Amino acid sequence: MSDIEHAGPRDWALLLFLAALWGTAFLFIRFTLESLPPAALSFSRLTIAAACVTAFAHLRGHRLPPLSDPRWLYFAFLGFFGNALPFFLIPLGQTQLPSALAGILLAIMPLATVALAHFFANERMTAWKLAGFAVGFAGAVILIGPAALVGLGGPTFLAQLAILGAALSYALNAIMTRRTPRTDPAVLASGALICSSLWGAPFGIWQLTVNDLPATASGWGSLVWLALGPTALATVLYVGLIARAGAGFMSLVNYLVPIVALFTGLAFGEAIGWNAYLGLFIILAGIAIARRQIPRPPF
């Protein structure tokens, strides 16, 4: 039975909640970039989140392992590929790219996760799963708008590579999270966030010292929310959900995030075209196809 077929109602509820947290993050990143450059944003966001999750783990009676524990090697890997690198690359890309094109590029992540999980996580790729992910990606393109693909290549090519790099980074992180030695989710999240903050410290601190952007209430308020919601809380839920349901199931969140972005834009007065509703339907169809169980012999 594949990881998607094995997922229960609680897993789907957590997946939807994570999509809600991450789907609104792009809007808050845009607000935060008014006050902080990309590296400073990433470092500040991760440092606040690391402090909150570490305090949460201690309140639950858990302690970080000693530095001699080999799990710190996993924490360092997860901190780099799961937070430090993509949290820098995505704001960097968003300084030059529209959110539509960034969303399409990030939607490649589930396909990369399925391929990597097949080779490195013993999560067998089935024809139905592959078809479901392909349909879901097509729905994401339609949802965000095929016209956004016109911007591929050209003068923003490096920014596009940054977003693609973030998608691949998330895929690697999803696989390695499943392979990490058994650890309480709060401890794992705390260790990974501490390492991610350390990874981003040199460049982030430097940008903070030379930052000349105005300190706006929306910018700093958005930073606090990014640290507490889409980073601290989401990281704890993320590692727990991968341990329960698998990396392939977790990657479905990247098809749900555009849906959240759609309704977030609607709430902020953005016009919604026919392609948005068609894309939403196709995304849901892709998830249904990926969940389809292969009939088993009755003997």
Side-chain angles (χ1 to χ4, degrees):
M1 180 178 292
S2 73
D3 54 325
I4 295 177
E5 295 164 0
H6 186 264
R10 182 183 176 188
D11 300 321
W12 283 97
L14 287 175
L15 187 77
L16 292 173
F17 184 60
L18 281 169
L21 288 175
W22 287 333
T24 58
F26 286 105
L27 180 66
F28 290 103
I29 288 173
R30 190 183 74 190
F31 292 152
T32 309
L33 285 171
E34 298 173 359
S35 299
L36 290 172
L41 187 163
S42 174
F43 170 69
S44 302
R45 173 184 179 182
L46 289 168
T47 301
I48 296 171
C52 292
V53 175
T54 301
F56 171 73
H58 275 250
L59 288 174
R60 293 188 59 198
H62 298 291
R63 297 294 181 267
L64 290 168
L67 293 179
S68 59
D69 193 308
R71 282 179 293 176
W72 279 102
L73 296 176
Y74 289 89
F75 296 167
F77 184 97
L78 298 178
F80 184 77
F81 287 103
N83 293 313
L85 183 59
F87 281 15
F88 170 69
L89 291 176
I90 292 173
L92 182 65
Q94 280 193 266
T95 61
Q96 298 184 47
L97 296 177
S99 59
L101 181 54
I104 288 176
L105 294 172
L106 275 175
I108 293 173
M109 182 266 187
L111 301 179
T113 302
V114 169
L116 291 172
H118 177 75
F119 293 104
F120 300 109
N122 296 321
E123 295 181 12
R124 188 170 59 89
M125 184 188 303
T126 65
W128 284 112
K129 183 189 290 189
L130 185 60
F133 280 109
V135 170
F137 177 73
V141 172
I142 294 173
L143 170 64
I144 302 170
L149 291 175
V150 175
L152 283 172
T156 62
F157 179 66
L158 291 179
Q160 296 165 26
L161 283 182
I163 302 296
L164 286 172
L168 180 59
S169 179
Y170 280 137
L172 288 170
N173 180 73
I175 300 302
M176 186 55 68
T177 298
R178 187 68 182 270
R179 297 175 66 89
T180 300
R182 187 175 181 85
T183 305
D184 179 81
V187 174
L188 178 56
S190 177
L193 285 169
I194 289 172
C195 289
S196 64
S197 178
L198 293 174
W199 280 116
F203 196 21
I205 292 175
W206 175 77
Q207 277 201 343
L208 283 172
T209 60
V210 300
N211 178 38
D212 58 358
L213 294 174
T216 64
S218 62
W220 287 97
S222 296
L223 171 64
V224 172
W225 169 245
L226 283 171
L228 298 180
T231 309
L233 176 59
T235 302
V236 175
L237 298 177
Y238 169 82
V239 297
L241 186 55
I242 284 186
R244 284 169 50 87
F249 175 77
M250 183 67 240
S251 68
L252 286 174
V253 76
N254 291 272
Y255 293 145
L256 299 176
V257 164
I259 299 174
V260 177
L262 165 68
F263 290 104
T264 300
L266 184 63
F268 278 80
E270 296 180 1
I272 304 299
W274 64 267
N275 60 297
Y277 298 102
L278 177 60
L280 173 59
F281 173 79
I282 294 177
I283 287 173
L284 295 177
I287 293 174
I289 292 172
R291 291 192 66 199
R292 184 182 178 91
Q293 297 188 24
I294 301 175
R296 306 183 187 281
F299 50 83

